[in-house]
Amino acid sequence: AQSVAQPEDQVNVAEGNPLTVKCTYSVSGNPYLFWYVQYPNRGLQFLLKYITGDNLVKGSYGFEAEFNKSQTSFHLKKPSALVSDSALYFCAVRDMGGTYKYIFGTGTRLKVLA
Amino acid sequence: GAGVSQSPSNKVTEKGKDVELRCDPISGHTALYWYRQSLGQGLEFLIYFQGNSAPDKSGLPSDRFSAERTGGSVSTLTIQRTQQEDSAVYLCASSLENSPLHFGNGTRLTVT
């Protein structure tokens, strides 16, 4: 069955330090992978996606993510965190060999400390 | 340009009443999704419309929930005989085929 796991409910990082938010997935076919961010009292905003090609994809606000097929992971990264990056982050997978619907993880709350 | 619009933004209803939540997708978007976000929880898939195909209703939690999409555009999510556990933020999203989802700001439903 199609699924996404975000093992950390919350990640704390000091401003200026690199950050990683973890995501692993399970699909029956080729995955389309996405990261979304939700700021307080706002809708979800698209950050980046992996469809095919280079395993390292770059997105909005300096974020990037690395697709690792053997580990079925798609971790979100940023070299230097900002306080304004504090938000709720969701990983999502679309199973292009199955149902085609988007399945989201449970979310990881990122807190960047000044 | 106009994004995905949801109405109402907030809805308070009494247990047992029916509610209708509306979603206006981005013009031309063929796919439309409904999700539910409960406090402290992730996004729970409810239903997916793609063009003229039969909708994927596999996420609807009970037969009290239904949704329709008229003319390939506006969608309405209906919850009959609401229960307190239905309290959540209901999110709508739309997209073109194979493009990222665009989300509305959601409808916060409170069942008292």
Side-chain angles (χ1 to χ4, degrees):
Chain A
Q2 183 182 2
S3 66
V4 176
Q6 293 182 244
E8 303 154 318
D9 290 336
Q10 180 159 325
V11 170
N12 294 329
V13 64
E15 187 176 30
N17 281 3
L19 69 87
T20 298
V21 182
K22 296 179 181 177
C23 171
T24 59
Y25 66 90
S26 174
V27 297
S28 58
N30 291 324
Y32 283 13
L33 295 157
F34 304 82
W35 277 100
Y36 284 80
V37 60
Q38 187 178 37
Y39 297 102
N41 300 315
R42 301 277 296 277
L44 275 77
Q45 298 177 31
F46 168 73
L47 271 182
L48 52 78
K49 66 179 179 181
Y50 171 82
I51 303 296
T52 186
D54 289 342
N55 290 340
L56 185 66
V57 294
K58 295 185 183 297
S60 306
Y61 312 120
F63 284 92
E64 58 190 28
E66 186 169 11
F67 171 64
N68 187 316
K69 187 173 182 177
S70 63
Q71 297 185 3
T72 62
S73 68
F74 189 57
H75 300 331
L76 181 69
K77 300 181 179 184
K78 187 174 183 181
S80 179
L82 300 172
V83 172
S84 57
D85 293 330
S86 298
L88 187 58
Y89 290 81
F90 289 96
C91 180
V93 64
R94 192 181 193 200
D95 185 351
M96 301 309 291
T99 62
Y100 293 88
K101 65 190 178 191
Y102 290 79
I103 297 296
F104 284 78
T106 52
T108 298
R109 188 164 300 281
L110 173 67
K111 189 171 184 179
V112 181
L113 307 170
Chain B
V4 177
S5 178
Q6 292 187 247
S7 60
S9 54
N10 282 283
K11 177 70 175 180
V12 180
T13 190
E14 293 180 352
K15 178 182 173 181
K17 300 284 188 183
D18 298 352
V19 295
E20 285 190 351
L21 312 180
R22 177 186 170 103
C23 173
D24 282 274
I26 293 173
S27 178
H29 279 193
T30 55
L32 187 147
Y33 293 76
W34 283 97
Y35 289 88
R36 178 167 70 176
Q37 185 177 20
S38 302
L39 188 63
Q41 302 296 315
L43 271 69
E44 177 188 5
F45 168 78
L46 297 177
I47 189 168
Y48 163 42
F49 296 90
Q50 174 59 57
N52 296 321
S53 302
D56 179 344
K57 302 180 181 180
S58 61
L60 295 178
S62 77
D63 59 7
R64 295 187 295 105
F65 287 73
S66 63
E68 61 179 22
R69 188 178 185 193
T70 54
S73 179
V74 172
S75 178
T76 302
L77 176 68
T78 301
I79 309 173
Q80 295 179 309
R81 305 181 303 281
T82 52
Q83 303 295 312
Q84 287 186 330
E85 61 262 29
D86 299 335
S87 296
V89 176
Y90 289 81
L91 294 168
C92 176
S94 71
S95 75
L96 293 168
E97 184 65 23
N98 295 332
S99 70
L101 298 179
H102 296 259
F103 282 85
N105 287 333
T107 293
R108 182 175 298 278
L109 176 66
T110 303
V111 182
T112 61

